[in-house]
Structure formats: structure tokens, C-alpha cells
């Protein structure tokens, strides 16, 4: 019998021990004031949410929450819902910023099985503890707690911009402090997005796409992302940028200044609808100035002697009247202080070009941004029919000892530099003087008449493609 009593006591002792363990779990879960951070973490680890953040929590006993689900996908807010606990009158909700602390603070009390907690940090790991309670005869009794491991969505990337939009599309953005990776999606001609890159290096903030075709519209979406809990992702909604392949930064941007104005010209882009012009005065930030569909632009009068920065950015008008913008080119120039030519700058190209002012009846030729020659000229008759066309061109035809013909005239010239079909620069042996106001009533049929010795040098020093700027 003694042996039987010993066996029974062992069995009973085992039962008591199991009960004690179960009770100790509930005590740790309920006695939040006495729980250490380590104990709180142990309770949290009991939840399979560490593997799947929306997995159901185990049912332990009466009053325990069955499931907790995250129902929001915001960078600054977490919304949770859960199955109502039996006999619970309400729920106390505590939150812990797990990235910086192990301490919980009370967020709020709610009576319904749901909560919204705002004003949170983006891309941050939060543990949220929910404690059901009942009120009996004025006393509050708490049930075992349940912990939800979750996070806010990563913050959006900033300064998403185009780096290249020629035969390769490349975009860049600023590094996100709350992301550990980026996802890049692409849409072709407003189609569906497809994932084209997963960048698992938070410091890599560029993406280059060489699977592109010129003239095609591409939309890129960049989502910042943080991965937690064995593979649960917390991506941002994403920022987008639209680019047309081939709509690259304007080449050979030339800025010149005369009479307190700045004249900008650049090579034409086949795919651009027009060009946005931005300006900064001194150390100020660039601001939108105007737009033009031509490949040149003349400002209003600016402050003489001051330095200005200009940016020229091509754009393409989409069907929804939005703009897909290309990459841009900038240049800086000091505004001239008086009438006449005294300042020039180029942002790209060789800095070799011909400039013609109709109002001043003058031509300047620059090599590598240095004035090589200048001369008075006579441009098209100022009658509305024979005016020399203004704009940005380039030398497209060259000839020596040729005869120019047209309605009512036939003229032999020694040197011909065509830049706009039948319009060009050439000598005019029939003229004894150039410049002044001759073009008002005795101008050319549209060409730029130039003294023989000057046009001879131009012919020898220039070639096909040399820019010609007329204003």
C-alpha cells in the first residue's frame, strides 16, 4: 500500500505541476506591471505570428483572443481587428516601438474588437499587446494578453528622377532611412505593372533598364520595402515617374546674352512635344519660367551683371494632359550690361556656333566659347514676307561658286552655308555696305548677306552641323 500511495502522490504531483505551469502562463500574461521585458517577449514568441503576421493565435481559455489581423497598409498608422473574446467588456491596447525599446505604453482602451493607432513612424517594427477585461462589481479583471508583431509600411522614396532617357532608361531616388530594399515595377504604354527589379541593398538607389525602345512611353514605380518576421514584407505604395525612351537631355545647349536678355538654343528632340524652361537667379533655387515648342527661347530683360542658371527639360504630352518629362541640361551665364554682344556660355557640345541678331544686324562666330570673328550683315527684308526666320538651326548645305535662284532673282555667290532649306549665309558682291537699317526696305530674300572676307573665313572654319542661332 505504501508503494501505491507513493505512486498516487507522484501522479497527483504531476497533475498539480501541469496546472501550476498553466496558471503561471496566465499570470505572466495578465500581470503586465510585474512582467519583465524578457517575459513579455517570451509570451509574444508563443504566437505563430512570428511566421505569419496574420496567423491565428492559439486558443488558451475563456477570454483569450483567437485572431489578430492587420487591416491597414499605411506608413504612419496601424489598424487591427480580432475575434471578440468571450465575456469581455473591453480591451486595453499597449504598443511597443520594438526598433528602439522593449517597453510597452498604453495606447487606448476600446470596447469593440478593433483599434486604430496613428502618428507612428514609417517602416518601424511595432508590437501591440491586447488585454481583454471584464468589469464585475466595479472591479476590473484582465484576461491573458495577446501580442501582435507587425510594422508600419515603409516610407515612400523621395526625389524620384530620371538619370538617362536615351537608348537606356535610368532612374534614381534618395535613400530611404526606413527601408532595407526596393522594388521597381514597370508599365509599358499605360499597361499593367510588372516587377522588373528587386534591389536588396538599401544604399543602391538607381535602376537602369536597357530593354527599351525609342519613342515608347514607360512608367516606373519604385516601392521602398522592409522585411520582417521571416519574410513578411512592408512595402510603400510607391512613387511613379513616366519617361519616353529617346527623350534625352537637350544637347549642345547654348546661352548667349545681349541687351540684358538671355538667348537659349539647343538641338531639337524628335520625341519631345515641347521644352520646360527653369531659371535661378544667383544662389536661389530653380523655378519654372516658361515653356516653348521651339528649340530656342529668349527671356525678358534680366538684371544686368547678375548670373543666372537655366535648365531646359523636354516633355511629352500624354493622353490625360499630363507630362512625361525627359532628362535635362543646365547652363549658367552672366547677363550682359549693355547693348551689344559680350557674354556667351554653353552647357554641352563644343561651344562652336554662329549667332545672328536681326535687331542688331550682326553676326558672331565662336569657337570653343571664344569669339573668333564678328561682322555686320543684312538679313531678310523686314516686310513680313522675306524676313529671315528665327530659331536654332545647323549648317545643312555647303557650296562654293554657285548661283542662287528664286522668283525674280539669280545671284552668283562665292560661298554658301545653308541652314534652313533655301535660307543661308553667303557673300553679296552687289552690296557696298552692311548693318544698320538696310534690311528695312532693302533687305535680302531671307538669306544673311555677309561681307566676302568674313563669309570666306566662316566657310573655312565651319562644317556640316555647326549650330546657327538666329533671333
Amino acid at each position: 500500500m505504501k508503494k501505491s500511495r507513493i505512486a498516487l502522490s507522484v501522479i497527483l504531483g504531476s497533475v498539480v505541476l501541469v496546472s501550476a505551469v498553466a496558471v503561471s502562463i496566465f499570470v505572466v500574461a495578465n500581470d503586465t506591471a510585474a512582467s519583465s521585458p524578457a517575459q513579455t517577449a517570451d509570451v509574444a514568441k508563443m504566437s505563430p505570428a512570428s511566421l505569419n503576421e496574420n496567423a491565428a493565435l492559439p486558443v488558451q481559455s475563456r477570454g483569450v483572443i483567437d485572431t489578430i489581423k492587420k487591416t491597414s497598409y499605411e506608413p504612419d498608422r496601424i489598424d487591427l481587428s480580432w475575434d471578440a473574446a468571450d465575456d469581455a467588456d473591453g480591451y486595453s491596447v499597449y504598443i511597443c516601438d520594438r526598433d528602439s525599446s522593449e517597453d510597452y505604453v498604453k495606447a487606448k482602451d476600446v470596447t469593440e474588437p478593433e483599434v486604430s493607432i496613428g502618428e507612428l513612424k514609417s517602416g518601424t517594427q511595432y508590437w501591440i499587446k491586447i488585454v481583454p477585461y471584464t468589469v464585475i462589481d466595479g472591479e476590473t479583471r484582465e484576461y491573458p494578453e495577446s501580442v501582435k508583431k507587425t510594422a508600419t509600411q515603409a516610407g515612400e522614396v523621395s526625389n524620384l528622377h530620371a538619370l538617362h532617357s536615351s537608348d537606356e532608361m535610368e532612374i534614381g531616388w534618395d535613400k530611404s532611412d526606413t527601408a532595407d530594399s526596393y522594388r521597381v515595377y514597370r508599365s509599358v504604354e499605360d499597361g499593367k505593372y510588372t516587377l522588373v527589379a528587386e534591389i536588396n541593398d538599401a544604399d543602391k538607389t538607381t535602376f537602369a533598364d536597357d530593354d527599351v525602345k525609342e519613342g515608347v512611353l514607360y512608367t516606373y514605380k519604385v516601392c521602398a520595402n522592409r522585411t520582417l518576421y521571416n519574410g513578411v514584407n512592408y512595402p510603400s505604395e510607391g512613387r511613379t515617374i513616366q519617361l519616353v525612351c529617346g527623350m534625352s537631355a537637350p544637347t549642345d545647349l547654348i546661352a548667349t546674352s545681349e541687351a540684358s536678355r538671355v538667348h537659349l538654343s539647343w538641338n531639337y528632340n524628335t520625341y519631345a512635344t515641347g521644352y520646360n524652361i527653369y531659371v535661378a537667379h544667383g544662389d536661389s533655387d530653380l523655378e519654372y519660367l516658361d515653356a516653348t515648342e521651339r528649340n530656342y527661347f529668349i527671356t525678358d530683360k534680366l538684371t544686368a551683371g547678375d548670373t543666372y542658371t537655366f535648365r531646359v527639360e523636354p516633355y511629352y504630352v500624354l493622353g490625360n494632359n499630363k507630362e512625361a518629362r525627359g532628362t535635362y541640361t543646365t547652363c549658367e551665364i552672366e547677363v550682359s550690361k549693355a547693348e551689344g554682344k559680350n557674354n556667351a556660355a554653353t552647357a554641352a557640345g563644343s561651344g562652336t556656333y554662329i549667332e545672328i541678331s536681326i535687331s542688331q544686324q550682326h553676326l558672331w562666330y565662336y569657337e570653343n566659347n571664344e569669339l573668333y570673328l564678328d561682322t555686320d550683315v543684312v538679313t531678310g527684308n523686314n516686310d513680313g514676307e522675306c524676313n529671315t526666320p528665327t530659331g536654332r538651326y545647323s549648317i545643312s548645305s555647303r557650296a562654293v561658286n554657285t548661283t542662287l535662284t528664286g522668283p525674280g532673282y539669280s545671284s552668283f555667290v562665292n560661298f554658301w552655308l545653308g541652314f534652313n532649306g533655301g535660307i543661308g549665309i553667303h557673300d553679296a558682291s552687289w552690296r557696298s555696305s552692311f548693318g544698320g537699317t538696310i534690311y528695312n526696305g532693302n533687305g535680302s530674300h531671307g538669306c544673311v548677306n555677309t561681307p566676302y572676307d568674313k563669309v570666306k573665313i566662316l566657310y573655312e572654319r565651319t562644317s556640316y552641323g555647326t549650330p546657327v542661332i538666329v533671333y
Side-chain angles (χ1 to χ4, degrees):
M1 290 298 293
K2 184 176 181 181
K3 183 176 181 181
S4 298
R5 280 197 296 272
I6 292 173
L8 179 60
S9 63
V10 170
I11 293 171
L12 291 173
S14 299
V15 173
V16 172
L17 179 59
V18 171
S19 299
V21 170
V23 170
S24 68
I25 291 174
F26 295 134
V27 169
V28 170
N30 285 322
D31 189 3
T32 57
S35 298
S36 68
Q39 289 174 320
T40 303
D42 288 341
V43 174
K45 289 176 182 177
M46 292 171 56
S47 167
S50 60
L51 299 178
N52 181 345
E53 74 146 37
N54 282 331
L57 294 172
V59 179
Q60 295 178 355
S61 68
R62 177 184 177 187
V64 175
I65 296 171
D66 289 346
T67 61
I68 305 175
K69 293 183 178 180
K70 181 182 177 185
T71 57
S72 63
Y73 299 91
E74 304 294 335
D76 60 353
R77 192 181 81 242
I78 292 176
D79 297 339
L80 300 178
S81 66
W82 55 89
D83 293 343
D86 293 340
D87 300 331
D89 293 322
Y91 308 87
S92 294
V93 181
Y94 302 83
I95 188 168
C96 170
D97 177 352
R98 196 66 182 181
D99 284 339
S100 59
S101 173
E102 293 185 349
D103 298 329
Y104 284 88
V105 295
K106 191 169 187 178
K108 58 180 68 177
D109 288 325
V110 295
T111 56
E112 298 297 323
E114 59 185 18
V115 69
S116 180
I117 306 174
E119 298 183 1
L120 303 177
K121 296 182 292 184
S122 64
T124 302
Q125 182 179 195
Y126 287 99
W127 288 11
I128 300 175
K129 181 168 59 178
I130 301 172
V131 183
Y133 65 83
T134 58
V135 180
I136 302 175
D137 296 333
E139 293 186 3
T140 299
R141 176 185 175 185
E142 292 185 339
Y143 290 109
E145 66 189 38
S146 297
V147 175
K148 176 67 170 179
K149 295 181 178 181
T150 188
T152 49
Q153 306 304 114
E156 298 291 0
V157 301
S158 59
N159 190 31
L160 179 60
H161 57 281
L163 295 173
H164 298 288
S165 55
S166 51
D167 57 347
E168 177 183 75
M169 309 290 278
E170 185 176 9
I171 56 176
W173 56 91
D174 290 346
K175 182 179 182 297
S176 172
D177 294 332
T178 61
D180 54 28
S181 61
Y182 306 98
R183 294 178 176 181
V184 182
Y185 299 84
R186 188 184 78 170
S187 169
V188 181
E189 297 289 2
D190 292 330
K192 294 182 178 179
Y193 282 107
T194 57
L195 180 66
V196 291
E198 291 188 73
I199 302 172
N200 295 317
D201 181 356
D203 293 324
K204 180 174 172 53
T205 57
T206 61
F207 168 71
D209 186 5
D210 58 6
D211 183 21
V212 292
K213 294 182 179 179
E214 287 194 350
V216 176
L217 172 68
Y218 296 91
T219 303
Y220 295 92
K221 178 190 289 186
V222 179
C223 301
N225 181 63
R226 186 178 183 189
T227 303
L228 295 165
Y229 314 122
N230 295 332
V232 178
N233 292 309
Y234 294 87
S236 66
E237 184 175 348
R239 298 282 193 210
T240 61
I241 185 171
Q242 292 185 300
L243 300 170
V244 175
C245 182
M247 200 166 71
S248 55
T251 57
D252 206 8
L253 173 62
I254 297 173
T256 61
S257 176
E258 55 93 16
S260 298
R261 289 181 170 85
V262 171
H263 305 258
L264 302 169
S265 68
W266 54 90
N267 287 335
Y268 184 76
N269 186 291
T270 304
Y271 305 107
T273 304
Y275 306 86
N276 291 318
I277 312 296
Y278 299 83
V279 64
H281 185 188
D283 295 330
S284 65
D285 295 332
L286 283 163
E287 295 182 355
Y288 176 79
L289 175 62
D290 207 341
T292 178
E293 294 184 2
R294 300 179 178 182
N295 59 331
Y296 71 96
F297 181 80
I298 302 174
T299 70
D300 293 332
K301 283 195 172 184
L302 304 174
T303 303
D306 285 4
T307 298
Y308 289 79
T309 300
F310 292 91
R311 173 191 291 176
V312 181
E313 174 191 74
Y315 67 84
Y316 175 82
V317 177
L318 305 173
N320 54 7
N321 289 324
K322 292 184 179 180
E323 293 181 1
R325 299 180 181 181
T327 46
Y328 55 80
T329 305
T330 60
C331 66
E332 186 179 276
I333 186 171
E334 180 182 330
V335 176
S336 65
K337 297 180 180 180
E339 294 288 339
K341 178 69 185 171
N342 60 9
N343 282 315
T346 62
S350 65
T352 297
Y353 58 96
I354 299 169
E355 182 178 355
I356 302 166
S357 170
I358 293 176
S359 64
Q360 296 180 72
Q361 290 292 284
H362 205 79
L363 176 152
W364 298 266
Y365 170 60
Y366 284 82
E367 285 189 358
N368 301 318
N369 292 325
E370 296 292 334
L371 181 63
Y372 192 87
L373 72 80
D374 68 299
T375 179
D376 287 336
V377 295
V378 176
T379 61
N381 198 49
N382 189 20
D383 58 6
E385 295 183 4
C386 295
N387 300 67
T388 300
T390 59
R392 161 65 179 260
Y393 310 97
S394 61
I395 293 176
S396 55
S397 60
R398 291 163 51 86
V400 294
N401 301 326
T402 187
T403 299
L404 307 178
T405 60
Y409 71 89
S410 176
S411 304
F412 173 84
V413 299
N414 293 280
F415 301 98
W416 164 260
L417 296 167
F419 60 81
N420 181 16
I423 305 297
I425 304 167
H426 61 79
D427 54 294
S429 59
W430 54 92
R431 292 193 183 277
S432 59
S433 62
F434 297 85
T437 59
I438 297 173
Y439 77 113
N440 288 321
N442 190 24
S444 71
H445 290 90
C447 289
V448 181
N449 293 174
T450 308
Y452 174 88
D453 59 333
K454 301 294 185 179
V455 75
K456 180 177 184 296
I457 295 173
L458 280 179
Y459 189 88
E460 292 170 348
R461 305 292 300 187
T462 60
S463 60
Y464 286 99
T466 298
V468 179
I469 305 156
V470 185
Y471 56 86

